[in-house]
């Protein structure tokens, strides 16, 4: 049996994080939720995740600043941008900083699960070809 996919959810909406955590755990994933960018950077510095789900608009450190800080520590883990706000310029900047997917809330859970599974698989394949990297 393969290891469960380890997911970090970063969103300032606590009810959303808790709800999505339960849904993904029911799918057999290991999930950690944090409610701001600084906590996300600390989590990425302390442990390895297979996929990160990141909200764009958060108070304090927004999604772009969080993404950049995550990329300084971890260039390999796929980041899925999941946001309730469609801002093409910010999405374009996020794409330049390495997100693998952009989804609008509310998002169909089956589509999100498929995106997480695909991103995790891409990371596993990439790690096979770059075994000396930390993440």
């Amino acid at each position: 049996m393969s290891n469960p996919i380890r997911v970090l959810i970063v969103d300032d909406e606590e009810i959303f994080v808790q709800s999505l955590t339960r849904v993904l755990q029911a799918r057999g994933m290991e999930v950690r939720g944090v409610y701001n960018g600084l906590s996300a950077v600390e989590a990425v510095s302390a442990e390895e995740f297979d996929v990160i789900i990141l909200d764009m608009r958060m108070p304090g450190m927004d999604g772009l600043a969080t993404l950049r800080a995550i990329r300084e520590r971890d260039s390999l883990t796929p980041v899925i941008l999941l946001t309730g706000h469609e801002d093409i310029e910010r999405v374009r900047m996020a794409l330049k900083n390495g997100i693998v997917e952009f989804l609008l809330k509310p998002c169909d859970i089956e589509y999100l699960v498929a995106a997480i599974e695909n991103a995790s698989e891409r990371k596993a394949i990439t790690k096979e070809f770059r075994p000396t990297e930390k993440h």
Side-chain angles (χ1 to χ4, degrees), residues 40-106:
V41 173
E42 290 170 353
V44 168
S45 297
E47 53 191 293
E48 184 174 352
F49 297 94
D50 299 309
V51 179
I52 300 168
I53 299 173
L54 177 64
D55 186 27
M56 179 62 78
R57 296 204 181 177
M58 297 181 289
M61 184 183 249
D62 72 358
L64 274 177
T66 302
L67 177 61
R68 288 181 184 124
I70 287 170
R71 284 294 172 240
E72 288 174 9
R73 289 152 183 80
D74 179 351
S75 63
L76 187 56
T77 300
V79 176
I80 297 172
L81 188 66
L82 182 61
T83 185
H85 307 277
E86 188 172 2
D87 181 339
I88 299 304
E89 183 58 28
R90 291 174 69 78
V91 170
R92 188 177 70 72
M93 292 301 296
L95 286 166
K96 282 185 172 184
N97 283 278
I99 64 166
V100 296
E101 186 118 23
F102 163 66
L103 304 173
L104 280 174
K105 293 178 191 172

